[in-house]
């Protein structure tokens, strides 16, 4: 198959993006089918975490700040992209990877200090720096723990296929 045909196939294939879409938004493929890329959600975000992502579609960047679940993005959107804002915003949960400073014996609890729902705790261990533990039932997926992490060790990912 020629490179041109492969490029066309990639262009028109409907692949799922790894982008995190604004809270209460539809699944990724539905989102990109409906979103007009008007930027109203980007301009209304009170913490400026909604950015223009791949293809000009809105994405969340938790390295900037957290989501306060203010609902402004859903309120200003002229399209039928958002679901019921009285439901859970999304199925995201935080995960701490191996680059966490605490996993390397360095005392750091910046993620815990930023977590309002107190979903992140640290259990003291003899002879070691306390390591983070995330209560997935308490984690709202707000992303408050991501930006303050000095080692970029926290990611938010979908706990189901919604995002």
């Amino acid at each position: 198959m020629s490179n041109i045909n492969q490029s066309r196939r990639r262009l028109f294939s409907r692949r799922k993006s790894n982008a995190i879409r604004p809270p209460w938004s539809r699944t990724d493929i539905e989102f990109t089918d409906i979103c007009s890329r008007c930027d109203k959600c980007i301009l209304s975000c009170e913490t400026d975490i909604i950015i223009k992502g791949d293809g000009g579609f809105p994405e969340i960047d938790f390295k900037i700040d957290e989501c306060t679940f203010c609902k402004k993005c859903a309120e200003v959107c002229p399209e039928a992209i958002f679901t019921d804002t009285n439901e859970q915003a999304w199925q995201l949960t935080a995960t701490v990877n191996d680059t966490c400073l605490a996993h390397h014996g360095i005392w750091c609890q910046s993620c815990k200090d930023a977590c309002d729902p107190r979903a992140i705790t640290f259990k003291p261990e003899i002879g070691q720096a306390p390591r983070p533990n995330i209560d997935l039932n308490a984690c709202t997926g707000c992303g408050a723990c991501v930006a303050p992490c000095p080692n970029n060790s926290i990611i938010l990912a979908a706990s189901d296929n919604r995002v």
Side-chain angles (χ1 to χ4, degrees):
M1 184 183 299
S2 74
N3 286 342
I4 293 172
N5 288 338
Q6 287 177 344
S7 295
R8 284 185 187 152
R9 200 170 266 170
R10 252 192 312 257
L11 177 67
F12 294 110
S13 68
R14 294 175 55 114
R15 62 183 165 84
K16 183 163 174 37
S17 168
N18 290 329
I20 297 173
R21 301 295 178 202
W24 302 287
S25 60
R26 298 186 182 283
T27 62
D28 191 60
I29 290 175
E30 287 178 307
F31 185 91
T32 55
D33 281 351
I34 299 169
C35 179
S36 64
R37 297 175 268 191
C38 69
D39 295 345
K40 289 182 180 180
C41 61
I42 294 171
L43 298 171
S44 71
C45 181
E46 68 181 24
T47 55
D48 296 324
I49 63 168
I50 304 177
I51 61 167
K52 189 177 287 248
D54 192 27
F57 293 103
E59 297 180 7
I60 301 294
D61 185 351
F62 288 116
K63 290 178 184 164
I64 297 170
D65 207 342
E66 68 185 284
C67 180
T68 61
F69 306 113
C70 68
K71 303 180 183 181
K72 290 178 182 176
C73 55
E75 291 167 356
V76 300
C77 183
E79 310 300 336
I81 289 175
F82 293 92
T83 59
D84 185 358
T85 58
N86 293 316
E87 299 292 324
Q88 185 174 351
W90 45 39
Q91 300 296 319
L92 297 177
T93 52
T95 303
V96 180
N97 65 34
D98 291 340
T99 63
C100 174
L101 295 175
H103 290 263
H104 297 278
I106 300 169
W107 190 291
C108 176
Q109 295 187 1
S110 60
C111 56
K112 174 187 168 191
D113 296 339
C115 183
D116 281 341
R118 300 293 175 225
I120 303 173
T121 57
F122 282 77
K123 181 179 177 186
E125 296 182 33
I126 296 172
Q128 295 182 0
R131 294 182 181 199
N133 180 43
I134 300 176
D135 178 351
L136 299 179
N137 292 322
C139 180
T140 63
C142 70
C145 56
V146 176
C149 179
N151 230 27
N152 297 318
S153 300
I154 303 176
I155 59 165
L156 266 76
S159 54
D160 72 356
N161 293 331
R162 179 155 185 240
V163 177

